[in-house]
DNA sequence: ACCCCTTTCTGTCATGCTGACAAAAAGCTA
DNA sequence: TAGCTTTTTGTCAGCATGACAGAAAGGGGT
């Protein structure tokens, strides 16, 4: 650092995308089959290098998403979820990756783009359990992203974004159950979301499909931050035991 | 992306450090006076470029900390707190910065290192209020770091790390008050931390300095995650109003 | 029409946490 | 001993929660 002629070493920057959605009542993550080396043929998160030196990170993230999986994600709000810069994580050299997270309602089946041989949804538990091997350190990135989504569900009104514009309380409950991976009591859940101010507002009259009593319809309220938060019960047993 | 001869654009990577401590019952952040252009003479967070292409991010963070402010921070646990990569944030070119956060007990007055003309503690409210101008987008980084510290105080036993190895409940309360920036009721706080399992454990007999009834002494418990969490009262008014 | 089944919705009840506050306990000082 | 400060122990009402009972509102089958 005392040498005037020293120049900082450049690194290569990538963005990786953890796109979560709900399909068949399960939390699923968007994965692509890599069409190029390294890890050609393996599953990985969509993502890639910055295109030009002036490209914004978030712009690059959106671009990669539309390139690798042709999803209409204009409205998708990407949120930073971590940086992964360990040397050796990419055989191509020193690559630092910024991970972005998005959580969205039932998205359609993606269409593989230019860089990806294939793109499809996979249940996150297959990734977390290790049944599904991912390229690079992408499993770790998925883990971190899912944990962040779980926490976000507690403190923000994000869960409504998983549903359509109009939904029933039971549908909202299924979102929580899928993301948290635990069952909830319908009656207490009903009471809780009703009295959490600004979370959901009534939308039109009742009536829904199939069997059982017709459910009332709701839409997302205007508040972002939930107070009091939705607490997931399992958190209690998380105290680190000596 | 369809051009085989295309190579990804390199970027320069820096680490920036948000080191928070408690001095004189106020939350303070470590700042250095820049000794080189750009922003020479301005206050900024300690930090700098990766030294060589194989340097780990966290290693670089520790190195910069010891270079710019000669603190003995072997035990300091740095935690990632964000990436700042907006084009134009640094006049030297495309510079992406990874911010690290550390929270620590009363640290000594720092000693300016090689790159910094000076290094010292500054109250965070001076930074947040805008009274103190920082170089680059460092004010934003401090804001994010402080908010993260506030949240961490709610859910983790971090607050004990601000105190010495042995402390009184009142001292612990002062930590919360300083970081959250609000007053708390001593009696309710006393009750709360006592029954939060694994947060604090008794350490030796009572007795302390100055006036008033001697306080009992405690040390940090073994648990990391607080359940139930410490909730800061102001959070209730945080609902985003339409 | 009637019964059964499913799902949604409304209550109830005991428990435990919280905020607000009273008051006792334990020192020090004058 | 009186007065002051700070810590510690209670008290009390209100609110949220978990567990669960049971009513309401449909549909399908006979």
């Amino acid at each position: 650092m005392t040498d005037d002629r020293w120049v900082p070493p450049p690194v290569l920057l990538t963005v990786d995308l953890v796109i979560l959605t709900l399909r068949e009542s399960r939390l699923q993550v968007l994965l692509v089959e890599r069409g190029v080396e390294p890890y050609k043929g393996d599953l990985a998160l969509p993502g890639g290098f910055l295109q030009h030196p002036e490209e914004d990170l978030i712009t690059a993230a959106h671009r990669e998403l539309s390139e690798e999986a042709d999803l209409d994600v204009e409205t998708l709000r990407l949120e930073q979820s971590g940086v992964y810069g360990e040397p050796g994580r990419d055989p191509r050299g020193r690559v630092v990756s910024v991970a972005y997270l998005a959580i969205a309602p039932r998205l359609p089946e993606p269409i593989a783009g230019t860089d990806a041989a294939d793109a499809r949804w996979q249940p996150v538990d297959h990734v977390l359990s290790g049944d599904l091997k991912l390229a690079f350190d992408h499993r770790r990135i998925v883990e971190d992203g899912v944990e962040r989504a779980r926490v976000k569900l507690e403190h923000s009104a994000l869960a409504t974004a998983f549903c359509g514009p109009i939904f029933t309380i039971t549908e909202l409950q299924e979102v929580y159950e899928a993301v948290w991976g635990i069952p909830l009591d319908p009656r207490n859940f009903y009471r809780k979301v009703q009295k959490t101010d600004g979370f959901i507002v009534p939308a039109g009259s009742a009536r829904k499909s199939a069997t059982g009593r017709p459910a009332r319809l709701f839409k997302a309220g205007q508040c972002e931050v939930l107070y009091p938060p939705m607490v997931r019960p399992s958190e209690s047993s998380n105290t680190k035991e000596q």
Side-chain angles (χ1 to χ4, degrees), chain A residues 32-44 91 115-117 135-136:
Chain A
V32 301
E33 190 185 316
R34 287 184 59 82
V36 294
E37 293 292 349
Y39 291 102
K40 182 170 180 176
D42 284 11
L43 286 174
D115 261 17
F136 307 106

Side-chain angles (χ1 to χ4, degrees), chain A residues 104-125:
Chain A
R106 275 148 239 265
L107 290 172
E109 200 63 38
I111 299 161
T114 51
D115 261 17
D118 195 9
R120 52 172 179 269
W121 297 107
Q122 297 283 354
V124 290
D125 18 318

Side-chain angles (χ1 to χ4, degrees), chain A residues 133-202:
Chain A
K133 302 285 186 195
L134 301 192
F136 307 106
D137 51 1
H138 285 187
R139 176 182 159 184
R140 175 83 200 293
I141 299 178
V142 171
E143 280 173 6
D144 293 351
V146 169
E147 178 54 28
R148 177 174 284 249
R150 286 179 173 153
V151 171
K152 257 193 104 68
L153 236 55
E154 294 188 75
H155 301 280
S156 82
L158 171 70
T160 57
F162 271 109
C163 309
I166 301 288
F167 51 86
T168 68
I169 290 187
T170 304
E171 286 171 352
L172 189 61
Q173 181 182 339
E174 286 166 358
V175 172
Y176 277 92
E177 291 181 327
V179 177
W180 285 352
I182 51 171
L184 299 171
D185 183 289
R187 300 157 298 189
N188 293 334
F189 185 85
Y190 194 92
R191 182 184 53 190
K192 172 70 176 169
V193 296
Q194 286 276 38
K195 79 166 52 169
T196 297
D197 210 62
F199 192 9
I200 57 174
V201 294

